[in-house]
Amino acid sequence: YSNRFAGKKVLVTGASQGIGEATALRFAEEGAQVALNGRKEDKLIAVREKLPKVSGGEHPIATGDISKEEDVRRLMRESIEAMGGLDVLVCNAGYQIASPSEDIKLEDFEGVMAVNVTGVMLPCREAIKYWLENGIQGAIIVNSSVHQIIPKPHYLGYSASKGAVGNIVRTLALEYASRGIRVNAVAPGAIVTPINMSWINDPVQYKNVSDHIPMKRPGEGREIADAVTFLAAEDSTYITGQTLYVDGGLTLYGDFEKNWS
Ligand code: NAD
């Protein structure tokens, strides 16, 4: 990899595993100092062990629940202090709960919205405030999902949250475009991470998922990191308010490939 993020300071939420871990690794491999957020310090320390060292400091551990205002204020302040700044915020943390929608529990719905929506709004707010006060032209990348546009039955909270994230990105992008702050999203399809263990370890389900994807395979965390780093880098300085679908063609209405007559 290049050294294109040398001297850059990045914070990744939900960096203890999966796409967040892969993203943190990629930024560090390209020279960035990366603050690692998650709720469990021991898991974050284990991730830090895998990252290339950064000259002149350590990758900070930013423990805290991203849906809680006090946690976000504290961990953002501590990360900025530890790194001496912030250039890129990656809002990656997210989760889902399955249930028929007629039985959905309010606490489950609100829990998903709290992490996937409030947990995006709060760090964005803190980063933007810091950038405006310091005249920094930062970049935000939010991890959305193909379920920003594809309905996901049995996952009503998740679908609602990712739809909301799409409009958070577009609204913040418009509000801060003239100040040079860019806000974009990546929208992964089916990616091999711990969130998807239910089908990854079952050969029949794994084949079902793969058959359903035009490229006939799930994606890897590093393929999402490719897109996140692109949207953070000098390669994308004129791109804002966009959602980049990284999904092996999942959003292309795959049935038309078989039934085109
Ligand atoms: P994952 O479950 O492996 O990782 C999620 C991370 O978020 C974990 O590190 C977890 O600890 C963290 N997290 C959850 N709640 C948190 C909270 N309250 N505060 C701080 N951290 C918290 O999942 P993943 O597959 O790596 O997913 C990462 C993001 O990508 C999510 O936003 C998810 O919706 C999105 N996504 C994933 C897929 C996929 O197929 N894996 C597809 C589309 C979108």
Side-chain angles (χ1 to χ4, degrees):
Y1 294 121
S2 73
N3 212 24
R4 66 182 162 162
F5 297 114
K8 296 290 182 196
K9 324 287 187 189
V10 180
L11 188 143
V12 180
T13 74
S16 60
Q17 61 180 39
I19 295 170
E21 176 182 357
T23 301
L25 180 63
R26 174 63 62 82
F27 273 109
E29 283 171 343
E30 298 202 51
Q33 187 173 12
V34 188
L36 304 166
N37 160 255
R39 286 158 303 171
K40 299 206 178 91
E41 190 174 19
D42 53 337
K43 287 185 85 177
L44 297 169
I45 290 171
V47 169
R48 178 162 69 184
E49 298 292 306
K50 300 182 201 167
L51 306 191
K53 300 252 178 306
V54 68
S55 56
E58 246 193 336
H59 303 294
I61 303 295
T63 316
D65 183 335
I66 213 66
S67 67
K68 301 248 159 46
E69 188 168 37
E70 325 81 76
D71 282 22
V72 175
R73 281 213 176 101
R74 174 190 45 77
L75 74 88
M76 299 273 304
R77 192 180 60 242
E78 288 173 0
S79 301
I80 290 170
E81 267 170 33
M83 297 192 291
L86 182 73
D87 302 291
V88 177
L89 168 67
V90 181
C91 295
N92 165 78
Y95 79 108
Q96 58 184 9
I97 296 179
S99 152
S101 294
E102 74 271 21
D103 291 331
I104 196 165
K105 292 200 184 79
L106 180 61
E107 71 202 67
D108 289 351
F109 184 83
E110 289 183 342
V112 168
M113 296 301 273
V115 175
N116 297 13
V117 181
T118 309
V120 170
M121 181 278 286
L122 289 171
C124 286
R125 185 188 73 187
E126 297 305 306
I128 290 169
K129 204 184 300 171
Y130 168 74
W131 290 334
L132 293 176
E133 282 167 9
N134 292 278
I136 294 167
Q137 305 201 323
I140 293 172
I141 300 93
V142 180
N143 198 347
S144 179
S145 166
V146 288
H147 299 296
Q148 186 176 312
I149 54 166
I150 302 178
K152 191 171 192 186
H154 296 261
Y155 292 86
L156 188 63
Y158 191 75
S159 279
S161 74
K162 295 302 185 180
V165 153
N167 257 353
I168 288 179
V169 163
R170 285 161 51 79
T171 302
L172 292 177
L174 179 56
E175 196 166 342
Y176 298 104
S178 66
R179 261 77 60 89
I181 294 170
R182 299 187 302 112
V183 187
N184 291 290
V186 295
I191 309 300
V192 177
T193 70
I195 212 177
N196 286 326
M197 278 312 159
S198 60
W199 56 262
I200 289 166
N201 290 329
D202 175 337
V204 174
Q205 280 206 56
Y206 187 91
K207 188 173 180 315
N208 281 346
V209 170
S210 301
D211 284 349
H212 182 65
I213 300 166
M215 288 184 75
K216 302 297 172 209
R217 65 167 179 90
E220 301 287 337
R222 65 178 167 74
E223 294 179 296
I224 305 305
D226 286 336
V228 175
T229 49
F230 164 70
L231 290 169
E234 290 297 312
D235 315 65
S236 64
T237 47
Y238 206 47
I239 301 178
T240 197
Q242 303 304 307
T243 297
L244 178 53
Y245 288 86
V246 186
D247 65 356
L250 199 55
T251 42
L252 296 176
Y253 298 90
D255 275 356
F256 276 85
E257 207 244 327
K258 284 169 256 149
N259 306 310
W260 49 270
S261 57

